[in-house]
Amino acid sequence: MQKLTTQAEWAERARAVLPAGGFGNFDPSIFIASGKGARVRDADGHEFVDFLIGSGPMLLGHGNAEVEEAVLRQIPQGMTFFANNTAGVELAEEICRAVPCAEQLRYVSSGGEADMYAMRLARAFTGRDKIVKFEGGYHGMSAEAQMSLAPETLVNFPQARPDSAGIPASVAAEMLIAPFNDLDFIRSLLDEHGDTVAAVIVEPLQRIIPPLPGFLQGLREETQKRGILLIFDEVVTGFRFAYGGAQEHYGVTPDICTLGKVIGGGFPLAAIAGSAAIMAHFDKSIVGADRWLMQLGTLSGNPVAAVAGLKTLEILRREGQYAALRALGQQVMDMTGNALDAAGIAHRIVGDQTLFEVVFTAAEPRNYRDVLMADGRMAARYNQALRAGGIFKSPGKTYPCLALTAEDLDLTGAAIAAAAQSLAGEG
Ligand SMILES: Cc1ncc(COP(=O)(O)O)c(C=O)c1O
């Protein structure tokens, strides 16, 4: 029998050709060989219940038969054209029907790219340069998005500091950083700088931290009255919190939103969406050369991604899907809370039923600094124990998916209980 390559061997091969031994995304010691439903299997044959779900896109679970069929039907007809394709138009129509702020959209291949264009679009529309971003908010890898993303050294607001090498100081000078969930701060910041600010960009639920009641509404009012655009980064929340995303869920409509993850059904596809008046800046014939944003990409609107996205959205539109997703998430939240309570461990389960995480702290975190103050070593031990118990997840997020079965949940409950007990045992 042919000997299988072990994960340790794969890791050694990867270290030779990939800096830091991986793709830059995730723990480089694990190699996923396959996924089906809510389970993934690593290259050594270990099976896990998957709460990473590709960092969000696989909301239906892996290998959904209907999505697979749609993709397999498309592939023999062509995998990419660069020119317009009909599936891309149909998907755009469906997204514009679903998402309150979307009258038109432009495709890109990743969420980070969408965020980069969203900020540029706001600058083109307003003729202003500054962008307000929240500390700890994640908007991909552009120079702007790297400002105060996850700083270990804290500086005074609204000073921006890049979390990456290779970013010129001139970019920091155009960014204003604010604490999440602090409307008073935003009001005074915009009172001082408002006439130079193009946009406020925000994750409606920042990483896992929910907006306090009234925070998003307040951002809407404060931006609107100053002619500043409000950008919701819905790369995570789009088609997850509700069919119309976080803007439907929270009842606040931004000027621009970015979408990714779920809309590509597991393939690279993302979008910038907004009103026709704002999106006109992608059309030189309307706004003229000086106010036009050049925007294109080889794989933008890829037809395989578009058919996977269309089928995914069709499934999500079926009766009861979001209620089912929320019920599954609630079960995992309850299991976690009960196990940690029984073990006497101070914690908060932070987030939304469709995306949450345990934070080892006694007080409800409201912003990045609150999460930074929580017990990170305890979180690392908890995540390690979950992995050992057969749970696959990122260290910072738990994503439930619609493919979770009763058996998956039993296994999850047992792993959570064992992890909580092991933390209590270690003291
Ligand atoms: C809120 C948010 N915005 C943007 C991105 C970037 O998306 P992508 O990884 O597709 O570039 C992510 C990725 O996780 C995200 O969580």
Side-chain angles (χ1 to χ4, degrees), residues 71-142:
V71 167
L72 292 176
R73 226 179 310 121
Q74 176 60 39
I75 284 177
Q77 299 182 59
M79 289 185 249
T80 204
F81 307 116
F82 195 63
N84 282 353
N85 67 74
T86 54
V89 178
E90 285 178 339
L91 179 61
E93 286 171 345
E94 186 49 42
I95 292 171
C96 290
R97 257 194 297 275
V99 177
C101 82
E103 277 178 10
Q104 294 190 336
L105 64 78
R106 259 295 163 92
Y107 289 121
V108 287
S109 298
S110 72
E113 214 185 330
D115 287 331
M116 177 194 79
Y117 282 117
M119 289 184 264
R120 192 177 292 169
L121 177 59
R123 286 171 166 154
F125 182 80
T126 59
R128 302 168 179 174
D129 284 342
K130 291 206 185 320
I131 305 282
V132 174
K133 174 192 178 290
F134 293 94
E135 186 182 51
Y138 185 68
H139 307 292
M141 290 288 131
S142 69

Side-chain angles (χ1 to χ4, degrees), residues 55 109-113 115 138-141 203 207 233-236 258 260-261 270 397 399:
S55 191
S109 298
S110 72
E113 214 185 330
D115 287 331
Y138 185 68
H139 307 292
M141 290 288 131
E203 293 180 81
R207 310 281 68 215
D233 179 338
E234 294 234 39
V235 170
V236 164
T258 54
K261 301 199 191 260
K397 282 184 175 179
Y399 276 118

Side-chain angles (χ1 to χ4, degrees), residues 182-198:
D182 187 342
L183 258 189
D184 288 340
F185 184 90
I186 284 289
R187 279 191 199 100
S188 62
L189 183 72
L190 297 185
D191 281 346
E192 194 180 338
H193 298 276
D195 55 355
T196 60
V197 173

